[in-house]
Amino acid sequence: FETVGRSLLITQNDALWWVQLRRLKSIGTRCTAGSNGCGTLDARFNQLLESLSMDLLDKVIGDVSLQGNGMLDDFANRLTIIRGGLYVEANKHLCASARIDPLIARMWQLGQTPAAVRIYNND
């Protein structure tokens, strides 16, 4: 599938180590104004998750939240638009300077910076 109409939540999976959604291009295509929390990509507390392979993901209408994924070291994407906030926290193996900084720089160059950015306690 290429779109997720509302939100994509990947949370609290003790044995999940890899998510591959290589054709996914956008999240939140069916969100309406005022639909709180709609259009979110939320990957939290997946202790063994190493990779989110979303090579074509370009647009997220809501927030992108990567939090508490102990083994996450790869977030492959082509994101250019995050309308909500970008929250990357407590991912012990995710090198923020190698994975997240280029993402923010690309959005900055395109004039598409997220509404909020919080990055801390990562590798």
Side-chain angles (χ1 to χ4, degrees), residues 15-73:
L16 183 67
W17 62 275
W18 183 35
V19 174
Q20 181 176 349
L21 300 169
R22 295 200 184 267
R23 293 184 182 175
L24 182 63
K25 293 181 181 178
S26 61
I27 298 174
T29 56
R30 293 188 179 172
C31 294
T32 58
S35 55
N36 194 17
C38 191
T40 297
L41 168 58
D42 189 355
R44 292 187 200 206
F45 310 118
N46 302 290
Q47 291 306 313
L48 298 179
L49 183 64
E50 295 177 12
S51 178
L52 289 171
S53 296
M54 300 177 182
D55 299 340
L56 298 179
L57 183 60
D58 177 64
K59 183 177 184 178
V60 176
I61 298 300
D63 296 336
V64 172
S65 180
L66 307 173
Q67 297 180 346
N69 299 295
M71 299 302 291
L72 185 65
D73 68 0

